[in-house]
Amino acid sequence: MEKSFAILEGDGIGPEIMGEAIKVLKAVEDKYGHNFKLVYAPFGASAYFTHGSPFPEKTKNVCDEADFIIKGPVGLAVEEMHQIPQEHRPEHAAILPLRRRYDTFANFRPVKLPAGLKSFSPLKEEVIGKGIDILMIRELVGGIYFGDKIEGAATGMKFARDDCVYTDKDVRRVAIVAFEEARKRKARLTNVHKANVLATARFWREIVEAVAEDYPDVPYQSVLVDNAAFQLVVNPTQFNGVMLLENMQGDILTDQAGGIIGSLGLMPSACIGPEKGYVEPAHGSAPDIAGKNTANPYSMIGSVAMLFEECLGIPEEARDIWHSIFQIFEEGFITRDLVSPWQSNKKVINTSDFGDRVVQKVLKA
Ligand code: IPM
Ligand code: MN
C-alpha cells in the first residue's frame, strides 16, 4: 500500500515518543512491503516560538497533501505557555483548528487492560476481573468546545459564556459510527449524557435513541455522566463494549479511564473525519520528563496501530503491534509511569528500549 503521512511531533515528550512510533511504523512498512512517505512539519507551542504560529500555513499544506496525520502531544511548561498570547495558544490555535479542518468528528479512545495486567490499575484486582475492553467514542467537533465563547460586561457585572450547540447531523453521524463499532464487536453500547439537566443532552439522547432503532441487535443502555464516572471506578467492566460521549464529557471520562488502567501513557487515540483523520495520544506533552528517554511510548505506538486498523483498514499490521506491546508487558517490563508500590516486581525500561522491543517482536510475529 502507498500512503503519505504528515508527522507532527509536537512538544515535550512528543519527539521522543514519535521517534519510537516511527521506528515501529517503518518495521511494519518493511515487513509488509508497504510504501509510506513521511513529511515532518512543525505544530504546537514550540512551533509558535519558531514559526510564529502553533499551526503554521506550511504545516496546513503538508497536512492537506498527506493521506493521514500522525500527531504527538502539544504544550510546554507553564512559564513558557504564559509567554504565548491567548489567541496563539496551541489548544485554540492548533488542536481545535486541526479537528475542525478535517472535521474529525469521531474520536476513538480504546481503554484496554487485559486480565493479565490487572496490577497496572490502582483498583483492586477483583474489580478488574476479566479485564477492561472499552472503546470510548467521543464526539470531537461539536458541543461546548466549538460554540461561541464570550466574555463581556452587563449591568455592572462581568460575565463569561460558552455556548454548547449540537445539531442533529452532529449527533446522528457519531451515533452511527458508535453503533457500527458495537455491532462489529458484538458488544453493548452505553450512551453517556446529562439529559436530566441539559437541553443539548436531551436532544443528544433522543437522536441516539432514534439511531438505536436501526440496530436492534446491539444491546443499548443509557447512563447519566455523573453516574458513569462513579460506575467506571466501582465496576468498569460492565461497560466493556462501546461508550458514546459528547465532546466535553468525553474529554473528562477518557482521562479518568487512563487513571483506571494505570496511566495516561496507555491511552492512544484516532480522530476520524469523513475524508481523512489523524491519530494522537490522548495525553499531554509531560514537559517535566521531556528529553529524558523515560516516557511511555505506548500511546504513540498504539496510535500508529490505530492508524493501520481504523484509518487504513489493515488490521493484521495493527494486530502485530498490539500483540508485541502486550507481550512486552507480560514479560514483566514496564515504563516509569507504571511504577507503583504494587508493581515492585517489574523491570523498568526506557522509551527507546520499549520501542526497540516492539520492533523486534513485530518483525518476528
Ligand atoms: C484531549 C486534550 C484536548 C481536549 C486539549 C489539549 C484541547 O485534552 O485531546 O483530550 O480537550 O480535547
Ligand atoms: Mn483531554
Short mmCIF file of all heavy atoms in Angstrom, two decimals, residues 42-89:
data_model
loop_
_atom_site.label_atom_id
_atom_site.label_comp_id
_atom_site.label_asym_id
_atom_site.label_seq_id
_atom_site.Cartn_x
_atom_site.Cartn_y
_atom_site.Cartn_z
N PRO A 42 6.20 21.43 11.61
CA PRO A 42 6.10 21.98 12.98
C PRO A 42 4.65 22.20 13.41
O PRO A 42 3.80 22.63 12.61
CB PRO A 42 6.84 23.32 12.88
CG PRO A 42 6.82 23.69 11.43
CD PRO A 42 6.72 22.41 10.65
N PHE A 43 4.36 21.90 14.69
CA PHE A 43 3.00 22.03 15.22
C PHE A 43 3.10 22.11 16.73
O PHE A 43 3.85 21.35 17.34
CB PHE A 43 2.19 20.78 14.81
CG PHE A 43 0.73 20.81 15.18
CD1 PHE A 43 -0.21 21.39 14.33
CD2 PHE A 43 0.28 20.22 16.36
CE1 PHE A 43 -1.57 21.39 14.65
CE2 PHE A 43 -1.08 20.23 16.69
CZ PHE A 43 -2.00 20.81 15.83
N GLY A 44 2.36 23.03 17.34
CA GLY A 44 2.32 23.09 18.80
C GLY A 44 2.95 24.35 19.36
O GLY A 44 3.20 25.31 18.63
N ALA A 45 3.22 24.33 20.66
CA ALA A 45 3.72 25.53 21.33
C ALA A 45 5.11 25.91 20.80
O ALA A 45 5.40 27.09 20.57
CB ALA A 45 3.77 25.30 22.83
N SER A 46 5.98 24.92 20.60
CA SER A 46 7.32 25.28 20.11
C SER A 46 7.24 25.86 18.70
O SER A 46 8.05 26.72 18.34
CB SER A 46 8.29 24.11 20.18
OG SER A 46 7.65 22.91 19.89
N ALA A 47 6.26 25.42 17.90
CA ALA A 47 6.10 25.99 16.55
C ALA A 47 5.72 27.47 16.63
O ALA A 47 6.06 28.25 15.75
CB ALA A 47 5.04 25.22 15.76
N TYR A 48 5.03 27.85 17.71
CA TYR A 48 4.72 29.28 17.88
C TYR A 48 6.03 30.07 18.02
O TYR A 48 6.20 31.12 17.39
CB TYR A 48 3.82 29.53 19.09
CG TYR A 48 3.77 31.00 19.46
CD1 TYR A 48 3.03 31.90 18.70
CD2 TYR A 48 4.52 31.49 20.53
CE1 TYR A 48 3.03 33.27 19.00
CE2 TYR A 48 4.52 32.85 20.84
CZ TYR A 48 3.78 33.73 20.07
OH TYR A 48 3.78 35.06 20.36
N PHE A 49 6.96 29.54 18.83
CA PHE A 49 8.22 30.27 19.04
C PHE A 49 9.11 30.24 17.80
O PHE A 49 9.80 31.20 17.51
CB PHE A 49 8.96 29.72 20.27
CG PHE A 49 8.23 30.01 21.56
CD1 PHE A 49 7.62 29.00 22.30
CD2 PHE A 49 8.13 31.33 22.02
CE1 PHE A 49 6.94 29.29 23.48
CE2 PHE A 49 7.44 31.63 23.19
CZ PHE A 49 6.84 30.60 23.93
N THR A 50 9.09 29.15 17.05
CA THR A 50 9.99 29.06 15.89
C THR A 50 9.34 29.62 14.62
O THR A 50 10.03 30.11 13.73
CB THR A 50 10.43 27.61 15.62
OG1 THR A 50 9.25 26.80 15.51
CG2 THR A 50 11.31 27.07 16.73
N HIS A 51 8.03 29.53 14.48
CA HIS A 51 7.37 29.91 13.23
C HIS A 51 6.27 30.96 13.39
O HIS A 51 5.57 31.27 12.44
CB HIS A 51 6.75 28.68 12.55
CG HIS A 51 7.77 27.70 12.05
ND1 HIS A 51 8.49 26.88 12.89
CD2 HIS A 51 8.20 27.41 10.79
CE1 HIS A 51 9.31 26.14 12.18
NE2 HIS A 51 9.17 26.44 10.91
N GLY A 52 6.08 31.43 14.64
CA GLY A 52 5.09 32.49 14.86
C GLY A 52 3.66 31.99 14.93
O GLY A 52 2.73 32.79 15.12
N SER A 53 3.45 30.69 14.77
CA SER A 53 2.10 30.14 14.87
C SER A 53 2.21 28.67 15.31
O SER A 53 3.11 27.96 14.87
CB SER A 53 1.40 30.21 13.51
OG SER A 53 0.31 29.30 13.47
N PRO A 54 1.27 28.21 16.17
CA PRO A 54 1.34 26.81 16.56
C PRO A 54 0.85 25.86 15.45
O PRO A 54 1.03 24.65 15.54
CB PRO A 54 0.41 26.74 17.77
CG PRO A 54 -0.54 27.87 17.59
CD PRO A 54 0.21 28.95 16.86
N PHE A 55 0.22 26.43 14.42
CA PHE A 55 -0.24 25.62 13.27
C PHE A 55 0.07 26.44 12.02
O PHE A 55 -0.81 27.04 11.40
CB PHE A 55 -1.74 25.35 13.42
CG PHE A 55 -2.33 24.30 12.49
CD1 PHE A 55 -1.53 23.49 11.69
CD2 PHE A 55 -3.71 24.12 12.43
CE1 PHE A 55 -2.10 22.52 10.86
CE2 PHE A 55 -4.28 23.16 11.60
CZ PHE A 55 -3.48 22.37 10.82
N PRO A 56 1.38 26.50 11.65
CA PRO A 56 1.79 27.37 10.55
C PRO A 56 1.16 26.96 9.22
O PRO A 56 0.81 25.78 9.03
CB PRO A 56 3.31 27.17 10.49
CG PRO A 56 3.70 26.53 11.77
CD PRO A 56 2.50 25.78 12.26
N GLU A 57 1.05 27.92 8.32
CA GLU A 57 0.46 27.66 6.98
C GLU A 57 1.14 26.48 6.30
O GLU A 57 0.49 25.63 5.69
CB GLU A 57 0.60 28.91 6.09
CG GLU A 57 -0.40 30.02 6.43
CD GLU A 57 -1.85 29.54 6.45
OE1 GLU A 57 -2.29 28.91 5.47
OE2 GLU A 57 -2.56 29.80 7.46
N LYS A 58 2.46 26.45 6.41
CA LYS A 58 3.24 25.39 5.79
C LYS A 58 2.78 24.01 6.31
O LYS A 58 2.67 23.03 5.56
CB LYS A 58 4.71 25.64 6.17
CG LYS A 58 5.68 24.61 5.78
CD LYS A 58 7.09 24.98 6.29
CE LYS A 58 7.75 23.68 6.71
NZ LYS A 58 8.87 23.76 7.55
N THR A 59 2.49 23.96 7.61
CA THR A 59 2.03 22.69 8.20
C THR A 59 0.64 22.33 7.67
O THR A 59 0.34 21.17 7.39
CB THR A 59 2.04 22.80 9.73
OG1 THR A 59 3.37 23.08 10.15
CG2 THR A 59 1.54 21.53 10.39
N LYS A 60 -0.20 23.36 7.52
CA LYS A 60 -1.54 23.10 6.97
C LYS A 60 -1.43 22.47 5.59
O LYS A 60 -2.13 21.51 5.28
CB LYS A 60 -2.36 24.39 6.90
CG LYS A 60 -2.75 24.90 8.27
CD LYS A 60 -3.60 26.15 8.21
CE LYS A 60 -3.87 26.63 9.64
NZ LYS A 60 -4.13 28.05 9.76
N ASN A 61 -0.51 23.00 4.77
CA ASN A 61 -0.34 22.44 3.42
C ASN A 61 0.15 20.99 3.48
O ASN A 61 -0.34 20.15 2.73
CB ASN A 61 0.67 23.27 2.61
CG ASN A 61 0.12 24.66 2.34
OD1 ASN A 61 -1.09 24.88 2.34
ND2 ASN A 61 1.01 25.63 2.14
N VAL A 62 1.12 20.76 4.36
CA VAL A 62 1.64 19.38 4.48
C VAL A 62 0.49 18.43 4.87
O VAL A 62 0.34 17.35 4.31
CB VAL A 62 2.79 19.33 5.52
CG1 VAL A 62 3.15 17.89 5.87
CG2 VAL A 62 4.00 20.09 5.01
N CYS A 63 -0.34 18.88 5.81
CA CYS A 63 -1.47 18.04 6.28
C CYS A 63 -2.49 17.85 5.16
O CYS A 63 -3.03 16.76 4.97
CB CYS A 63 -2.15 18.64 7.49
SG CYS A 63 -1.10 18.66 8.95
N ASP A 64 -2.77 18.93 4.41
CA ASP A 64 -3.74 18.84 3.32
C ASP A 64 -3.29 17.81 2.28
O ASP A 64 -4.09 17.08 1.73
CB ASP A 64 -3.91 20.20 2.61
CG ASP A 64 -4.70 21.19 3.45
OD1 ASP A 64 -5.26 20.78 4.48
OD2 ASP A 64 -4.76 22.38 3.07
N GLU A 65 -1.98 17.79 2.05
CA GLU A 65 -1.47 16.91 1.00
C GLU A 65 -1.32 15.46 1.44
O GLU A 65 -1.31 14.55 0.61
CB GLU A 65 -0.14 17.43 0.46
CG GLU A 65 -0.40 18.44 -0.65
CD GLU A 65 0.75 19.38 -0.90
OE1 GLU A 65 1.92 18.98 -0.68
OE2 GLU A 65 0.48 20.53 -1.32
N ALA A 66 -1.20 15.25 2.73
CA ALA A 66 -0.99 13.88 3.23
C ALA A 66 -2.30 13.09 3.23
O ALA A 66 -3.38 13.67 3.26
CB ALA A 66 -0.43 13.95 4.65
N ASP A 67 -2.17 11.76 3.23
CA ASP A 67 -3.38 10.94 3.35
C ASP A 67 -3.88 10.94 4.79
O ASP A 67 -5.09 10.97 5.03
CB ASP A 67 -3.07 9.49 2.93
CG ASP A 67 -2.78 9.40 1.43
OD1 ASP A 67 -3.56 9.97 0.65
OD2 ASP A 67 -1.76 8.79 1.06
N PHE A 68 -2.95 10.87 5.74
CA PHE A 68 -3.32 10.91 7.16
C PHE A 68 -2.26 11.65 7.95
O PHE A 68 -1.17 11.90 7.43
CB PHE A 68 -3.51 9.49 7.73
CG PHE A 68 -4.80 8.86 7.27
CD1 PHE A 68 -4.80 8.01 6.18
CD2 PHE A 68 -6.00 9.15 7.90
CE1 PHE A 68 -5.99 7.45 5.73
CE2 PHE A 68 -7.19 8.60 7.45
CZ PHE A 68 -7.19 7.74 6.37
N ILE A 69 -2.61 11.97 9.19
CA ILE A 69 -1.71 12.76 10.02
C ILE A 69 -1.41 11.98 11.30
O ILE A 69 -2.31 11.39 11.91
CB ILE A 69 -2.39 14.10 10.38
CG1 ILE A 69 -2.72 14.88 9.08
CG2 ILE A 69 -1.53 14.94 11.32
CD1 ILE A 69 -3.86 15.88 9.21
N ILE A 70 -0.12 11.99 11.67
CA ILE A 70 0.28 11.35 12.93
C ILE A 70 0.79 12.48 13.82
O ILE A 70 1.76 13.14 13.48
CB ILE A 70 1.37 10.29 12.71
CG1 ILE A 70 0.90 9.28 11.64
CG2 ILE A 70 1.72 9.59 14.01
CD1 ILE A 70 1.95 8.22 11.29
N LYS A 71 0.08 12.70 14.91
CA LYS A 71 0.36 13.88 15.74
C LYS A 71 0.80 13.48 17.15
O LYS A 71 0.22 12.59 17.76
CB LYS A 71 -0.93 14.71 15.82
CG LYS A 71 -0.85 15.87 16.75
CD LYS A 71 -2.23 16.48 17.00
CE LYS A 71 -2.25 17.28 18.28
NZ LYS A 71 -2.06 16.48 19.50
N GLY A 72 1.82 14.15 17.64
CA GLY A 72 2.28 13.95 19.02
C GLY A 72 1.55 14.91 19.96
O GLY A 72 0.76 15.74 19.53
N PRO A 73 1.86 14.83 21.26
CA PRO A 73 1.22 15.73 22.23
C PRO A 73 1.79 17.15 22.13
O PRO A 73 2.89 17.34 21.63
CB PRO A 73 1.57 15.11 23.57
CG PRO A 73 2.85 14.37 23.33
CD PRO A 73 2.79 13.89 21.90
N VAL A 74 1.03 18.10 22.63
CA VAL A 74 1.36 19.50 22.44
C VAL A 74 1.30 20.26 23.77
O VAL A 74 0.48 19.95 24.63
CB VAL A 74 0.34 20.08 21.42
CG1 VAL A 74 0.21 21.56 21.57
CG2 VAL A 74 0.73 19.70 20.00
N GLY A 75 2.20 21.23 23.95
CA GLY A 75 2.18 22.07 25.16
C GLY A 75 3.55 22.08 25.83
O GLY A 75 4.24 21.07 25.86
N LEU A 76 3.95 23.27 26.33
CA LEU A 76 5.24 23.38 27.03
C LEU A 76 4.97 23.65 28.51
O LEU A 76 3.82 23.66 28.95
CB LEU A 76 6.05 24.53 26.41
CG LEU A 76 6.50 24.29 24.95
CD1 LEU A 76 7.11 25.54 24.35
CD2 LEU A 76 7.50 23.13 24.86
N ALA A 77 6.04 23.86 29.27
CA ALA A 77 5.89 24.14 30.70
C ALA A 77 5.10 25.43 30.90
O ALA A 77 5.07 26.30 30.02
CB ALA A 77 7.26 24.24 31.35
N VAL A 78 4.48 25.56 32.07
CA VAL A 78 3.58 26.68 32.36
C VAL A 78 4.20 28.05 32.04
O VAL A 78 3.58 28.90 31.42
CB VAL A 78 3.13 26.64 33.84
CG1 VAL A 78 2.17 27.76 34.17
CG2 VAL A 78 2.51 25.29 34.15
N GLU A 79 5.48 28.24 32.47
CA GLU A 79 6.11 29.56 32.27
C GLU A 79 6.19 29.89 30.77
O GLU A 79 5.96 31.03 30.37
CB GLU A 79 7.54 29.62 32.84
CG GLU A 79 7.75 28.99 34.21
CD GLU A 79 7.92 27.47 34.13
OE1 GLU A 79 8.90 27.02 33.54
OE2 GLU A 79 7.03 26.74 34.64
N GLU A 80 6.52 28.88 29.97
CA GLU A 80 6.63 29.13 28.53
C GLU A 80 5.25 29.35 27.92
O GLU A 80 5.06 30.20 27.05
CB GLU A 80 7.32 27.95 27.84
CG GLU A 80 8.80 27.93 28.11
CD GLU A 80 9.42 26.58 27.77
OE1 GLU A 80 9.04 25.57 28.40
OE2 GLU A 80 10.26 26.55 26.88
N MET A 81 4.27 28.59 28.39
CA MET A 81 2.91 28.74 27.86
C MET A 81 2.39 30.16 28.14
O MET A 81 1.68 30.74 27.33
CB MET A 81 1.95 27.70 28.46
CG MET A 81 2.25 26.27 28.04
SD MET A 81 2.13 25.99 26.26
CE MET A 81 0.41 25.55 26.13
N HIS A 82 2.81 30.71 29.31
CA HIS A 82 2.36 32.06 29.66
C HIS A 82 2.91 33.12 28.71
O HIS A 82 2.38 34.22 28.63
CB HIS A 82 2.72 32.40 31.11
CG HIS A 82 1.76 31.77 32.09
ND1 HIS A 82 0.41 31.71 31.86
CD2 HIS A 82 1.96 31.17 33.29
CE1 HIS A 82 -0.19 31.10 32.88
NE2 HIS A 82 0.74 30.75 33.76
N GLN A 83 3.99 32.79 28.01
CA GLN A 83 4.55 33.77 27.06
C GLN A 83 3.80 33.77 25.73
O GLN A 83 4.10 34.56 24.85
CB GLN A 83 6.02 33.46 26.80
CG GLN A 83 6.91 33.70 28.01
CD GLN A 83 8.29 33.06 27.80
OE1 GLN A 83 8.75 32.95 26.68
NE2 GLN A 83 8.91 32.63 28.88
N ILE A 84 2.87 32.83 25.58
CA ILE A 84 2.14 32.75 24.31
C ILE A 84 0.80 33.48 24.48
O ILE A 84 0.04 33.16 25.38
CB ILE A 84 1.88 31.27 23.92
CG1 ILE A 84 3.20 30.49 23.91
CG2 ILE A 84 1.17 31.19 22.57
CD1 ILE A 84 3.05 29.02 23.56
N PRO A 85 0.53 34.48 23.64
CA PRO A 85 -0.75 35.18 23.76
C PRO A 85 -1.91 34.21 23.57
O PRO A 85 -1.80 33.25 22.81
CB PRO A 85 -0.72 36.20 22.62
CG PRO A 85 0.63 36.14 22.00
CD PRO A 85 1.35 34.95 22.52
N GLN A 86 -3.01 34.48 24.27
CA GLN A 86 -4.18 33.60 24.25
C GLN A 86 -4.55 33.14 22.84
O GLN A 86 -4.80 31.96 22.60
CB GLN A 86 -5.37 34.33 24.91
CG GLN A 86 -6.63 33.49 25.06
CD GLN A 86 -6.43 32.21 25.88
OE1 GLN A 86 -5.66 32.18 26.84
NE2 GLN A 86 -7.07 31.14 25.46
N GLU A 87 -4.54 34.09 21.88
CA GLU A 87 -5.01 33.72 20.54
C GLU A 87 -4.04 32.79 19.81
O GLU A 87 -4.39 32.24 18.77
CB GLU A 87 -5.36 34.96 19.70
CG GLU A 87 -4.19 35.82 19.26
CD GLU A 87 -3.73 36.86 20.30
OE1 GLU A 87 -4.06 36.73 21.50
OE2 GLU A 87 -3.03 37.81 19.89
N HIS A 88 -2.82 32.62 20.36
CA HIS A 88 -1.86 31.70 19.73
C HIS A 88 -1.62 30.44 20.55
O HIS A 88 -0.76 29.64 20.22
CB HIS A 88 -0.52 32.40 19.48
CG HIS A 88 -0.58 33.44 18.41
ND1 HIS A 88 -0.92 33.15 17.10
CD2 HIS A 88 -0.35 34.78 18.45
CE1 HIS A 88 -0.88 34.27 16.39
NE2 HIS A 88 -0.55 35.27 17.18
N ARG A 89 -2.38 30.29 21.65
CA ARG A 89 -2.20 29.07 22.47
C ARG A 89 -2.56 27.85 21.64
O ARG A 89 -3.55 27.88 20.89
CB ARG A 89 -3.10 29.12 23.71
CG ARG A 89 -2.73 30.19 24.70
CD ARG A 89 -1.81 29.64 25.80
NE ARG A 89 -1.23 30.73 26.56
CZ ARG A 89 -1.76 31.23 27.69
NH1 ARG A 89 -2.85 30.71 28.19
NH2 ARG A 89 -1.17 32.23 28.31
#
